Structure formats: C-alpha cells, structure tokens
Amino acid sequence: MEAIEVTGLRKTYRDRDAVAGVDLVVARGEIFAVLGPNGAGKTTTVEILEGHRRRTAGDVRVLGEDPGRAGSQWRTRIGIVLQDADDAADLTVREMVRHIAGFYPSPRAADEVIELVGLTGKRNSKIRTLSGGQRRRVDVALGIVGSPELLFLDEPTTGFDPEARRQFWELIRRLAGDGTTIVLTTHYLDEAEALADRLVVMAGGRIVAEGSPATLGGRSAAAARVSWREDGVAYEEVHDDPTELIRRLVATDVDLTTLTITRPTLEDTYLRLIGGAR
C-alpha cells in the first residue's frame, strides 16, 4: 500500500479551479517535495491530504483512508508542521512538547524530540523568549513528537540560518531512514534538491512535471554548455554530448583551468516549467 494515492483531485471555488485534476502517488518511506509558485494549488492539495480541506472531486487515500472521513485514530498517524503556527507563549519548550505528546498513543520522549530539533539548551525557556528560528524548531518538534508514519512539512526551515537548515536536513534524512514518509513543500530549491527522492512542480492547479531532482523536466538529458578560453579569447558551445569537443580541446592544449561544463540547474528547470505553464 502506498502512503498517498490521489486520482483526479479537484478543488473548485465558485468558477475557479484551485486544483484542476491532480494525480499523484507517494511511496512509503519516501521524501516527496511539492514545488510551485504562490497560487499554484500546492497548499490546497496538501491541506486536502491532511484532512483540513474538503475536495470537490477525485479519489484520495492517505495511509489507506479517505482523509475527508478519517477519524482521530488516523490523525495520530500523521504529523503536521504548518507554515504559520500559533503557540502557547507562556509555556516552556519542554512543557509544550510534553503537552502535545499526551495526545498520541506512542509518542517520542519529549527530551529526545527537543534534542533532535536542537533545542536542548532552551528546553526550560518560555516560548515567548525564543527567536523566530527557535520557535520554528518548536513547531517541528510538535510535528514529530507523535512518531508519525507520515509527516507534512510546510516551509519547515523558514527563519533558519544556514547551519540550522543543514542540521534540520539531517534530521529529515534520519526520520526517512527510520521509515517515516515525508511530504515537503518549500520555496528553497536547494532544499528540495538535497532532500527529495521525487518531486512535482505545480502551476495553475496542475502538475506540470514530476521526477527526481536530477531528471525533472528532462534536466539530466539537457544540452551541456561548454565554455573555455583560448589565446585570451572566450568561446562557448552547446552540445547534447560534449565528450568529443572536450577531447579536441584537450588535444589542442587548451588551458583546462578555463574549461567549464554546465547543465541546467534545478532552478533553471523550475523557472522554465512554471513560466511555460502560466
């Protein structure tokens, strides 16, 4: 059984389709990223998967159940880290995590979770005294304290500094390694590339591309741009397979320190995909 199976998903507001016929499958234990500009329909799609929004049409199964009808037992099997979360500002970090843990049948130990998100030194601090990035870590702690089978992360590293982001990535990899399925929405393309096994790009309420970060939108097969300098003059050529050109350059004693070979980045591919879908 897949973690998520969606067929023909639609969400209509008056005469406008926010989600216009989405099909997707997420395997168990997979890190699956959903990318797209504001208004693409990704948040609506994820909220339907979480059971927070009703769909207009389509079939949806999350951990084998319809999230629109699933009960409290199903909800204990998922974790959610919202983009904007309210908190109990006068509780300490440890009090808040222990409080939320009490709603789950088999939670992680509060101190273990606090250590995982890098807040051990702040566990006895009131939440209102924390920085924005530290509060975001509390949100993540609350999302994983219930030992979820499936974890939804909505822009989880907003407010994190670069070091904290990398530490959080390691946490996500550890959770996935333990078998947790993760659905990630993010505007950080480097985050999607670093973490996702597969991803989709949404635009205009539809999925416009799907694949691994390396193959998305034909990226792995895209032409390579080869640049070099010869006798002080800059040259550039585009080739599907630059091997023969490189051999020729090596044979002519070109300064190889000036040679660069580039293919479209994930950002290049993403911008092309959403631009063509508008």
Side-chain angles (χ1 to χ4, degrees), residues 86-104 106-120 122-127 130 134-147:
D86 295 326
D87 52 44
D90 287 322
L91 294 180
T92 67
V93 171
R94 193 167 188 269
E95 287 169 341
M96 186 63 181
V97 174
R98 291 186 66 182
H99 172 69
I100 297 300
F103 292 103
Y104 294 94
S106 301
R108 293 174 180 262
D111 287 340
E112 174 194 351
V113 172
I114 291 168
E115 181 180 0
L116 281 173
V117 300
L119 285 176
T120 299
K122 295 289 185 179
R123 64 183 176 182
N124 294 318
S125 299
K126 292 186 181 294
I127 292 174
L130 303 181
Q134 290 167 341
R135 286 189 179 215
R136 195 68 184 134
R137 295 191 197 196
V138 174
D139 295 337
V140 174
L142 302 183
I144 67 175
V145 71
S147 301

Side-chain angles (χ1 to χ4, degrees), residues 1-260:
M1 183 175 62
E2 308 290 359
I4 297 174
E5 297 175 281
V6 176
T7 305
L9 177 62
R10 287 185 175 274
K11 179 61 178 180
T12 303
Y13 296 100
R14 297 181 180 177
D15 297 327
R16 184 182 68 87
D17 281 337
V19 180
V22 163
D23 301 331
L24 62 85
V25 174
V26 179
R28 285 183 177 268
E30 187 172 39
I31 303 177
F32 186 86
V34 183
L35 307 180
N38 293 333
K42 61 185 186 298
T43 298
T44 300
T45 298
V46 171
E47 287 177 347
I48 291 170
L49 300 180
E50 295 169 343
H52 288 160
R53 192 175 298 273
R54 294 189 176 277
R55 62 189 183 271
T56 302
D59 186 65
V60 179
R61 290 290 180 271
V62 176
L63 300 180
E65 297 192 41
D66 181 343
R69 301 177 180 176
S72 58
Q73 184 174 4
W74 174 82
R75 294 190 178 279
T76 65
R77 300 168 64 197
I78 69 170
I80 300 173
V81 178
L82 300 174
Q83 185 173 358
D84 295 303
D86 295 326
D87 52 44
D90 287 322
L91 294 180
T92 67
V93 171
R94 193 167 188 269
E95 287 169 341
M96 186 63 181
V97 174
R98 291 186 66 182
H99 172 69
I100 297 300
F103 292 103
Y104 294 94
S106 301
R108 293 174 180 262
D111 287 340
E112 174 194 351
V113 172
I114 291 168
E115 181 180 0
L116 281 173
V117 300
L119 285 176
T120 299
K122 295 289 185 179
R123 64 183 176 182
N124 294 318
S125 299
K126 292 186 181 294
I127 292 174
R128 60 179 167 79
T129 68
L130 303 181
S131 68
Q134 290 167 341
R135 286 189 179 215
R136 195 68 184 134
R137 295 191 197 196
V138 174
D139 295 337
V140 174
L142 302 183
I144 67 175
V145 71
S147 301
E149 297 174 44
L150 171 61
L151 179 62
F152 292 96
L153 298 173
D154 188 5
E155 303 291 343
T157 59
T158 299
F160 281 30
D161 60 42
E163 181 181 3
R165 287 182 69 214
R166 295 304 175 102
Q167 291 172 349
F168 180 76
W169 292 357
E170 289 304 314
L171 169 60
I172 294 306
R173 294 186 183 108
R174 176 175 172 179
L175 292 171
D178 290 340
T180 304
T181 305
I182 296 167
V183 175
L184 167 71
T185 59
T186 180
H187 283 104
Y188 296 124
L189 296 182
D190 61 332
E191 186 160 272
E193 187 157 29
L195 294 176
D197 299 306
R198 285 191 308 123
L199 52 83
V200 294
V201 176
M202 293 189 67
R206 294 177 171 84
I207 292 176
V208 297
E210 180 176 355
S212 69
T215 63
L216 185 77
R219 181 183 171 200
S220 61
R225 188 177 301 275
V226 183
S227 305
W228 73 97
R229 296 188 70 86
E230 192 171 353
D231 296 328
V233 179
Y235 295 90
E236 182 175 276
E237 294 185 19
V238 177
H239 291 264
D240 289 333
D241 183 357
T243 305
E244 187 57 39
L245 171 62
I246 294 169
R247 286 175 180 160
R248 177 171 62 81
L249 294 175
V250 171
T252 56
D253 293 325
V254 165
D255 182 0
L256 296 183
T257 64
T258 70
L259 180 67
T260 61

